[in-house]
Amino acid sequence: MTLHMDATLVPSRRQALQLAGFAAFAAVLAPRMSLATEAQVAEEMKKLFGGKAMGEGKVKLDVPEIAENGLVVPINIDVDSPMTDADFVKSVHVFADGNPLPQVVTYHFTPESGKASASTRMRLAQTQNVIAVAEMSSGALFSAKSQVKVTIGGCGG
Amino acid sequence: MAIKSAPRVRVPAQAKAGEIIEIKTLISHEMESGQRKDAAGKTVPRDIINTFEASFNGKPFFKAEWFPSISANPFQSFFYKAKESGEFTFSWKDDTGGEQKAIAKLTMA
């Protein structure tokens, strides 16, 4: 078991080199890629939320303004909620409107989560908007949107 | 591909009751997006870890559905409100039905 081991959670030099190699390879394939559009994201959201109105605020979407490497773009989501049994964040959906497939991740939280916060790393094909939609236990929706400028695309771009 | 690598998990060993602790996980997986073409121009089939789940004493409290936009070697951090001593179970499932699990103990300070 590797628990409590002081393993660093960063890619090794070898992994980094592999990623760099893949980025170069992917760039060659770029023109063949079909990318999602804002309309596709809107359609996906309609499927999930049935066109319900979305409030502003509550959702804090933390992404870099400029991502040098589109293969590993850090993303942190933080939703303001007391996270009690009566009032908590049920789920958070993340979309990237310029990727071939716009869905990035869906989180499901519970009151046991303590806070509705999570971080991961994503691929971004090109400069585009990242959108997070949080669904509260009351059914209310809140969204946040942020543009990321990508200098080297994550899946060709 | 079955998930070959052992996942890495970082959880504090001890927590006070009511404390919100951060859990960090990392697993090696190429996360083949299904969008890439090989040298012969054939699409490489999708193979990603699509579900990550975390439970405490058998009760699930956090779940992430990952899509092909998630980076290779997926990293995930999230939180848990500690109440009692017990055991975390983490599980990663991929498109080919492969699964990896990890366990971590938590003791109340």
Side-chain angles (χ1 to χ4, degrees):
Chain A
M1 214 46 259
T2 54
L3 301 176
H4 319 310
M5 189 183 77
D6 194 26
T8 49
L9 290 171
V10 291
S12 69
R13 187 168 168 267
R14 199 173 85 197
Q15 282 169 328
L17 286 173
Q18 281 170 349
L19 289 176
F22 175 62
F25 174 63
V28 178
L29 301 172
R32 283 185 237 163
M33 228 65 163
S34 62
L35 300 170
T37 60
E38 284 170 48
Q40 243 175 297
V41 175
E43 199 181 301
E44 196 73 48
M45 283 198 195
K46 208 172 163 198
K47 244 193 280 171
L48 283 164
F49 314 118
K52 220 158 84 176
M54 279 179 209
E56 296 282 319
K58 282 199 187 274
V59 183
K60 205 177 135 241
L61 176 61
D62 199 355
V63 287
E65 262 177 63
I66 297 171
E68 285 182 6
N69 182 359
L71 275 172
V72 275
V73 183
I75 170 168
N76 178 273
I77 288 149
D78 220 324
V79 188
D80 179 23
S81 161
M83 296 303 273
T84 58
D85 287 345
D87 181 5
F88 64 98
V89 179
K90 246 170 51 181
S91 58
V92 175
H93 302 257
V94 181
F95 307 92
D97 67 8
N99 268 6
L101 300 161
Q103 279 180 296
V104 177
V105 64
T106 300
Y107 291 122
H108 300 276
F109 295 100
T110 58
E112 287 78 39
S113 299
K115 60 178 177 174
S117 177
S119 305
T120 187
R121 298 175 190 138
M122 62 185 167
R123 295 168 171 144
L124 292 178
Q126 58 178 18
T127 297
Q128 59 183 290
N129 293 315
V130 176
I131 303 144
V133 181
E135 192 180 2
M136 307 298 180
S137 53
S138 64
L141 301 174
F142 291 91
S143 78
K145 182 160 136 178
S146 189
Q147 197 196 47
V148 184
K149 289 192 170 69
V150 178
T151 33
I152 304 169
C155 16
Chain B
M1 175 188 104
I3 312 172
K4 281 177 236 142
S5 107
R8 285 193 275 171
V9 177
R10 205 192 279 174
V11 182
Q14 279 199 340
K16 294 188 193 83
E19 193 185 337
I20 296 170
I21 57 169
E22 185 175 20
I23 299 165
K24 291 179 175 180
T25 70
L26 185 70
I27 189 164
S28 296
H29 196 284
E30 68 231 39
M31 299 290 276
E32 190 59 65
S33 68
Q35 300 292 308
R36 210 163 58 87
K37 290 193 168 77
D38 63 14
K42 276 201 348 208
T43 304
V44 182
R46 176 186 137 149
D47 179 15
I48 66 166
I49 297 178
N50 53 49
T51 312
F52 168 78
E53 256 181 304
S55 305
F56 189 75
N57 285 345
K59 194 183 174 208
F61 67 91
F62 175 82
K63 182 177 164 184
E65 289 171 59
W66 288 334
F67 295 93
S69 297
I70 291 293
S71 298
N73 307 322
F75 163 80
Q76 184 66 65
S77 86
F78 53 99
F79 292 85
Y80 179 70
K81 192 171 182 181
K83 276 190 305 229
E84 55 192 358
S85 298
E87 198 174 72
F88 287 105
T89 320
F90 306 105
S91 106
W92 293 256
K93 287 183 189 139
D94 79 356
D95 286 344
T96 58
E99 186 174 4
Q100 273 288 343
K101 281 191 176 195
I103 288 168
K105 282 197 164 55
L106 181 74
T107 332
M108 281 301 108

